């Protein structure tokens, strides 16, 4: 190939930018959980998701701190996460090229491996997706380069850089310490025969990274009172169900990235066949990571997020192992032409794979962000919401919240259901009785849907939920949401003041098709002429209740109020189409 390293870098960046543009504006809900922690950290509230007992509902400490640093400069946090992801992704490309340029490595396998990487959606989706994968794989890339220097170049000059990268990996994700165990163990066994080298390797690859880990454990214990993050309690339970699910996840990921993964396996085979230590190291790390991902049940996010690590390892396998594949000459024009055709075909095929298409289709987070903004504008700042989508709505609303799936809640993960480990990954937990006792003003399933997951099924059977919460269909800016309002909630419910009751209009229902509209910082009930809208309230003192005041537009109604067995029943029949904000009743 006549293409130079710098020219290739610009070509790779161009393809990378095209991929980011294609998948924009994908941004995962869990990213917004991290951003809520960053948001509150910037505000001086610590690494917390809520006031009260702090929990560690994030699993990406270094990422949250990095986003917080950009946010402190005044950068919008979603943009900050994208900037950090893109910079780390470009850093991965740049460092590989810079390292390989200075080594006695044919540039053709390097260019091929990186072309395969930038045309694999996992690389571009997670550059803009808001989670820590770009930082994680960038640090892993730096780790692999240092290990290569030690194994392939027998150079220990920069081994303490390896200490830094391994330590930062441990701070980026809890499973990052796995690379310390694997790297330290491998280097000590294969290169630590001399006492001096054994001490150097042990100090650099075991002791120093462990100090990083112990520092985080100390912070976790002192701040959260725990040694294990909440994320592990919610997501990790090794069962046959999760192992099968995780195995299928890796199987799908391999076939979904077949060109890169297949070439990576072939190159790794030849590297091991030549008895190259670096090939054994790559094989060890790939095997351990796939085993780990299998045991925890895989992942739920688009574009094979947890397979990203394997893809980077395959890139290094191709760079160092493809030279031993004697049957293929990359300098041949015919082979180059075939590779170009395969790359074009790969881009097309990748766009048709369901797990990649999900990154194009998944836009519900932005619907949730909009709902959160509306709730923030409409209701008091202390309105307590209960959600199953713990990222978009809490982040944009900034309201106190209950995470009904338990990721950001102290109680729920410590009281799992009996069948935990046999359901949908990260969506198995839930305790309806606990949530209802917290008396949230509003419950929202997904981003305004019917009750779902295990917690949703529990709510449908919960007598307090059925009695106290009213399903309200709402509309705002062309978007519709189904929200459950607590009739007796402190901030959005019926207000009792002496002998008066102030009842928001959205509690009255005539049919399942009724719509309330968010307008002018209020939620207003639209009522049709001739329909009868009813509401039952309890417990209420007996007496002669009458309508004192009605607020809204085009108000002209007939009302009927009755008292039976402690329940106050109110019915409203409009004489024309009208909008009801609230009705005030008075007991004479």
């Amino acid at each position: 190939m006549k293409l130079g390293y710098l020219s290739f870098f610009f070509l790779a960046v161009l393809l990378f930018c095209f991929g980011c543009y294609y998948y924009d504006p994908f941004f995962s809900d869990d990213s917004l959980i991290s951003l809520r922690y960053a948001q509150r950290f910037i505000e001086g509230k610590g690494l917390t998701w809520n006031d009260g007992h702090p929990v560690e509902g994030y699993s990406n400490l270094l990422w949250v701190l990095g986003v917080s640093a950009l946010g402190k400069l005044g950068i919008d946090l979603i943009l900050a996460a994208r900037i950090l992801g893109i910079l780390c992704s470009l850093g991965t490309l740049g460092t590989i090229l810079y390292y390989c340029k200075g080594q006695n490595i044919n540039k053709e396998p390097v260019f091929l491996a990186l072309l395969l990487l930038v045309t694999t959606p996992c690389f571009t989706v997670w550059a803009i997706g808001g989670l820590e994968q770009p930082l994680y794989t960038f640090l892993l890339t730096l780790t692999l380069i240092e290990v290569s220097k030690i194994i392939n170049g027998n150079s220990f000059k920069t081994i303490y850089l390896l200490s830094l990268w391994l330590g930062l990996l441990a701070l980026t994700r809890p499973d990052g310490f796995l690379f310390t165990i694997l790297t330290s163990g491998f280097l000590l066994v294969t290169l630590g025969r001399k006492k001096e080298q054994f001490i150097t390797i042990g100090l650099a690859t075991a002791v120093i990274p462990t100090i990083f880990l112990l520092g985080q454990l100390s912070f976790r214990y002192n701040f959260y009172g725990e040694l294990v993050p909440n994320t592990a309690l919610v997501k990790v339970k090794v069962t046959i169900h999760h192992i099968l699910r995780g195995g299928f996840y890796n199987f799908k990921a391999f076939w979904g990235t077949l060109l890169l993964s297949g070439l990576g396996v072939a190159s790794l085979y030849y590297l091991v066949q030549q008895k190259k230590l670096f090939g054994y190291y790559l094989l060890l790390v790939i095997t351990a990571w796939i085993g780990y991902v299998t045991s925890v049940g895989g992942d739920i996010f688009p574009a094979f997020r947890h397979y990203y690590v394997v893809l980077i390892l395959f890139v290094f396998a191709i760079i160092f192992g493809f030279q031993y594949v004697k049957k293929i000459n990359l300098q041949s024009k015919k082979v180059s032409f075939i590779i170009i055709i395969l790359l074009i075909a790969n881009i097309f095929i990748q766009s048709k794979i369901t797990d990649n298409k999900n990154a194009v289709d998944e836009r519900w987070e932005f619907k949730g962000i909009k709902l959160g903004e509306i709730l923030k504008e409409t209701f008091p700042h202390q309105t307590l919401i209960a959600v199953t989508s713990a990222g978009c709505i809490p982040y944009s609303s900034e309201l106190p919240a209950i995470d009904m799936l338990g990721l950001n809640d102290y109680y729920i993960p410590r009281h799992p259901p009996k069948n935990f480990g046999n359901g949908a990954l990260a969506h198995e937990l839930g305790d309806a009785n606990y949530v209802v006792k917290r008396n949230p003003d509003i419950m929202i399933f997904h981003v305004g849907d019917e009750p779902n997951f295990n917690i949703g099924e529990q709510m449908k059977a919960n007598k307090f939920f059925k009695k106290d919460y009213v399903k309200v269909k709402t509309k705002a800016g062309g978007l519709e949401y189904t929200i459950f309002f607590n009739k007796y909630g402190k901030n959005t419910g019926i207000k009792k003041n002496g002998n008066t009751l102030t009842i928001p209009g959205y509690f009255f229902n005539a049919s399942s098709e009724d719509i309330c509209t968010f307008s002018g910082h209020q939620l207003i009930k639209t009522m049709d002429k001739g329909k009868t809208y009813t509401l039952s309230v309890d417990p209420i003192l007996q007496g002669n209740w009458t309508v004192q005041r009605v607020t809204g537009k085009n108000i002209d109604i007939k009302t009927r109020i009755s008292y039976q067995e402690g329940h106050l029943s109110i019915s409203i029949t409009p004489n024309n189409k009208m909008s009801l904000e609230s009705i005030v009743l008075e007991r004479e």
Side-chain angles (χ1 to χ4, degrees):
M1 291 185 183
K2 295 180 180 180
L3 203 63
Y5 275 91
L6 185 60
S7 299
F8 176 81
F9 177 72
F10 286 117
L11 173 62
V13 170
L14 185 64
L15 291 171
F16 170 74
C17 291
F18 175 79
C20 291
Y21 175 78
Y22 181 77
Y23 289 104
D24 181 69
F26 172 74
F27 203 83
S28 79
D29 191 61
D30 273 32
S31 306
L32 292 158
I33 292 176
S34 297
L35 296 196
R36 175 155 164 130
Y37 280 92
Q39 183 182 58
R40 291 175 59 85
F41 183 61
I42 292 169
E43 293 170 354
K45 299 175 182 177
L47 286 170
T48 61
W49 191 77
N50 247 349
D51 293 337
H53 193 299
V55 295
E56 188 178 352
Y58 58 89
S59 55
N60 48 6
L61 175 62
L62 193 60
W63 180 260
V64 171
L65 294 177
V67 172
S68 299
L70 292 178
K72 191 68 175 177
L73 298 175
I75 300 173
D76 173 79
L77 291 182
I78 292 178
L79 178 59
R82 292 194 194 278
I83 290 172
L84 197 55
I86 290 170
L87 288 177
C88 288
S89 300
L90 294 178
T92 296
L93 294 176
T95 51
I96 291 174
L97 288 171
Y98 182 78
Y99 172 65
C100 292
K101 184 180 180 182
Q103 304 300 307
N104 186 25
I105 301 171
N106 292 332
K107 63 183 179 181
E108 286 80 10
V110 178
F111 291 176
L112 175 60
L114 293 181
L115 277 176
L116 289 171
L117 181 63
V118 296
T119 56
T120 299
C122 179
F123 187 70
T124 48
V125 165
W126 290 107
I128 62 170
L131 280 176
E132 71 285 349
Q133 267 60 40
L135 174 61
Y136 200 52
T137 48
F138 177 50
L139 292 170
L140 177 59
T141 297
L142 294 170
T143 297
L144 293 172
I145 288 172
E146 292 305 321
V147 173
S148 171
K149 289 178 182 178
I150 294 169
I151 294 176
N152 296 326
N154 196 28
S155 172
F156 290 83
K157 292 180 180 179
T158 57
I159 192 171
Y160 289 104
L161 276 178
L162 180 58
S163 308
L164 178 61
W165 308 142
L166 289 172
L168 293 178
L169 272 169
L171 296 183
T172 303
R173 285 182 55 88
D175 48 37
F177 194 69
L178 175 64
F179 299 104
T180 291
I181 296 170
L182 297 172
T183 303
S184 178
F186 184 85
L187 293 180
L188 285 171
V189 169
T190 57
L191 301 176
R193 295 173 185 173
K194 294 181 181 179
K195 182 179 179 181
E196 184 179 336
Q197 282 192 182
F198 185 90
I199 293 173
T200 301
I201 292 170
L203 178 63
T205 66
V207 176
I208 295 176
T210 300
I211 292 172
F212 279 77
L213 177 66
L214 291 175
Q216 185 180 9
L217 287 175
S218 176
F219 164 73
R220 180 180 293 146
Y221 185 76
N222 283 285
F223 191 75
Y224 298 110
E226 304 288 335
L227 290 175
V228 177
N230 239 37
T231 49
L233 299 178
V234 171
K235 296 181 179 181
V236 179
K237 185 174 183 181
V238 180
T239 61
I240 295 298
H241 174 79
H242 278 178
I243 290 172
L244 291 174
R245 192 182 187 283
F248 183 62
Y249 173 83
N250 283 311
F251 175 80
K252 282 197 307 176
F254 180 85
W255 288 104
T257 59
L258 183 59
L259 199 54
L260 175 53
S261 294
L263 194 57
V265 168
S267 300
L268 185 61
Y269 169 78
Y270 282 100
L271 199 58
V272 171
Q273 190 182 54
Q274 295 294 318
K275 297 182 179 180
K276 299 296 181 180
L277 272 183
F278 192 62
Y280 290 124
Y281 173 75
L282 292 176
L283 179 61
L284 172 67
V285 179
I286 289 171
T287 304
W289 183 261
I290 288 176
Y292 160 70
V293 172
T294 298
S295 68
V296 299
D299 193 34
I300 60 175
F301 293 101
F304 310 116
R305 178 180 69 124
H306 278 338
Y307 198 70
Y308 199 163
V309 165
V310 179
L311 295 178
I312 292 295
L313 293 163
F314 279 151
V315 164
F316 276 83
I318 294 169
I319 289 171
F320 288 96
F322 198 84
Q323 60 184 308
Y324 301 110
V325 184
K326 301 298 183 183
K327 295 180 180 180
I328 302 176
N329 179 12
L330 289 179
Q331 294 180 341
S332 163
K333 290 183 178 180
K334 183 179 179 181
V335 172
S336 298
F337 179 75
I338 292 172
I339 288 173
I340 291 171
I341 296 299
L342 285 174
L343 284 171
I344 294 171
N346 183 54
I347 293 170
F348 177 76
I349 293 168
Q350 291 284 343
S351 69
K352 301 299 179 183
I353 294 172
T354 301
D355 285 83
N356 297 329
K357 287 175 65 179
N358 288 342
V360 176
D361 300 333
E362 185 178 308
R363 298 291 182 261
W364 56 263
E365 291 87 352
F366 297 98
K367 182 181 178 183
I369 287 173
K370 182 63 178 175
L371 176 57
E373 291 170 349
I374 292 167
L375 296 178
K376 181 180 178 180
E377 294 171 355
T378 306
F379 299 109
H381 295 317
Q382 292 306 310
T383 300
L384 180 61
I385 59 174
V387 296
T388 58
S389 297
C392 51
I393 299 172
Y395 169 71
S396 58
S397 71
E398 300 182 40
L399 296 174
I402 302 169
D403 182 353
M404 292 193 282
L405 296 180
L407 192 66
N408 302 282
D409 187 87
Y410 184 80
Y411 178 88
I412 291 174
R414 290 156 183 83
H415 298 82
K418 292 181 180 179
N419 64 342
F420 178 46
N422 295 289
L425 186 67
H427 293 77
E428 301 177 67
L429 301 185
D431 190 320
N433 290 327
Y434 162 76
V435 173
V436 168
K437 284 179 182 177
R438 293 280 305 273
N439 199 38
D441 297 288
I442 299 170
M443 285 195 201
I444 306 167
F445 298 90
H446 194 44
V447 287
D449 293 338
E450 296 292 334
N452 53 5
F453 305 123
N454 178 32
I455 182 64
E457 295 305 311
Q458 289 185 40
M459 283 297 177
K460 290 176 185 177
N462 186 278
K463 63 180 182 179
F464 296 105
F465 176 76
K466 292 191 288 186
K467 179 175 69 74
D468 293 346
Y469 286 83
V470 175
K471 182 170 77 171
V472 180
K473 284 193 172 183
T474 66
K475 189 174 182 179
L479 298 173
E480 293 189 2
Y481 306 92
T482 297
I483 305 174
F484 294 83
F485 283 88
N486 184 353
K487 287 190 286 189
Y488 312 108
K490 294 179 181 178
N491 297 286
T492 63
I494 298 166
K495 301 289 190 301
K496 183 178 180 182
N497 184 14
N499 287 326
T500 64
L501 292 176
T502 302
I503 305 172
Y506 48 76
F507 283 120
F508 289 91
N509 278 325
S511 72
S512 60
E513 302 304 315
D514 291 352
I515 292 288
C516 294
T517 304
F518 286 102
S519 178
H521 306 300
Q522 289 184 305
L523 181 56
I524 299 170
K525 182 76 174 187
T526 301
M527 293 184 166
D528 295 325
K529 177 182 178 180
K531 280 189 177 180
T532 298
Y533 299 80
T534 61
L535 175 66
S536 177
V537 182
D538 59 58
I540 296 296
L541 294 174
Q542 190 170 4
N544 184 25
W545 291 89
T546 58
V547 176
Q548 182 193 70
R549 185 174 68 257
V550 181
T551 57
K553 292 182 179 180
N554 302 322
I555 301 298
D556 185 4
I557 59 173
K558 294 177 184 177
T559 58
R560 183 175 177 273
I561 302 172
S562 61
Y563 183 87
Q564 295 178 347
E565 299 179 357
H567 296 266
L568 189 67
S569 297
I570 309 114
S571 63
I572 296 174
T573 305
N575 293 320
N576 52 257
K577 190 176 181 65
M578 55 173 269
S579 299
L580 178 66
E581 295 175 12
S582 66
I583 181 170
V584 179
L585 304 183
E586 184 176 30
R587 186 168 69 93
E588 297 178 354

